[in-house]
Amino acid sequence: MEYEPLKRRLNVILKMFPFTRKIFYFLLDAVILRQWYVKRAIRNYLSKNKLNFYDAGSGFGQYSCYVLKHYPAAEILAVDIDEEISEAFRRFINKRYPKQVKIEKADLQNYIPENKQDMIIAIDILEHIEDDLTVLKNFRKVIDEEGYLIISTPYAGKEAEYTAEHVRNGYTIEELEGKLNEAGWEIQEFWFSYGFWGNIAWHLGMKIPLSEFKCLLRILLPFYLLLVYPFVLVMMVLDYNSKNRKGKGMVVVARGIKDEEAKQASSTDTHRLENDTHR
C-alpha cells in the first residue's frame, strides 16, 4: 500500500477547506490506535515547566496541535520533508498560534535545530529513513538534559511490508535499543501496540477499507464502516488497556545518556526489556 498519494489527496482537501482539519484530527484519533499510545506517552513525560516540543516528521500536525491544546505555553518546532503538507499546516496553525509554532521543511538526516528541546517525537518515521542512526544522533544533540524522545515504529515483521514507502520492515526492540544506545539514548519505558485485539482492529478498520474498497466498491465503504466500527472501537480499547506481551508496533520512551553513562548503557541487558511490565 502506498500512503503518499493518499496523504497528498487528503492534503488537497485540507488546503481547500481548512475548517475540516479539526474533523480530520478527530477521525485520525478514532481509527488510528497508535495515536492513543503516543498521546499517553506525551502526557506521562512532558513536563508543564519544560515545554520546547520538537515534532520530527510532523506530517499533518495532529500531535503538535494536541500539545498546544493541553499545554498552552508550549513552543512547537514542527519539521517535515514534505513542503506542501507543511505549508498547509502552517496556514492553519499560524492563525491560531502565530508566535508559538515554528515550521521547517527539512531532511532529518541533516537537520539540527538551533535550540535545545524538552521533548522530541518521531512517530512512524524512522522506518522511512535510510540513515536512521544519524537522525537519532541529531536528536541527541538538541535534547535538554532532562528531556525525552518518543518513538513509534512497527515491530519487525510481515505486517510492516504493507507500507510501500518503508526502507526497512520495522525493528525488533533489541535492534532499536542498540541504535538508541549508540546514538546516546537510554530506553526508559516501552509498550507493544497493536497486540492481539489491536491487530484485528487494524485489519478491519484500516487494511480492508484501504485495500479492498476500490472503484465502484467505494460506494459501499460507509456502510461497511458503520457496521464494523463499534467492534473496532471496543478492540482498540482492549488493546490500549492491555499489557501486550507482543504486538505489531511499539512505542518507546528514551532519555539522553550522559557521556559517563554511555558505556554502561550500551551493555544493557535487553532481556530486561522483554520482561518489562509494558506500563
Side-chain angles (χ1 to χ4, degrees), residues 6 47 55 72 104-105 113 184:
L6 176 61
S47 168
D55 190 350
E104 297 277 359
K105 185 263 182 183

Side-chain angles (χ1 to χ4, degrees), residues 207-220:
K207 186 174 182 179
I208 291 177
L210 289 175
S211 356
E212 303 300 330
F213 286 86
K214 299 177 180 179
C215 300
L216 294 177
L217 283 178
R218 288 178 181 170
I219 196 171
L220 300 176

Side-chain angles (χ1 to χ4, degrees), residues 134-168:
T134 292
V135 173
L136 293 173
K137 289 179 178 179
N138 290 343
F139 289 163
R140 180 65 186 90
K141 291 175 182 177
V142 297
I143 197 67
D144 183 78
E145 184 177 347
E146 300 297 325
Y148 293 95
L149 168 65
I150 298 174
I151 295 171
S152 171
T153 186
Y155 193 82
K158 290 186 177 180
E159 293 293 351
E161 297 176 4
Y162 181 70
T163 302
E165 292 91 352
H166 287 176
V167 300
R168 66 183 60 81

Side-chain angles (χ1 to χ4, degrees), residues 34 38 55-57 63 121-127 150-153:
R34 171 181 67 248
V38 171
D55 190 350
Y63 297 108
I121 63 168
I123 309 307
D124 278 19
I125 63 165
L126 289 180
E127 64 274 14
I150 298 174
I151 295 171
S152 171
T153 186

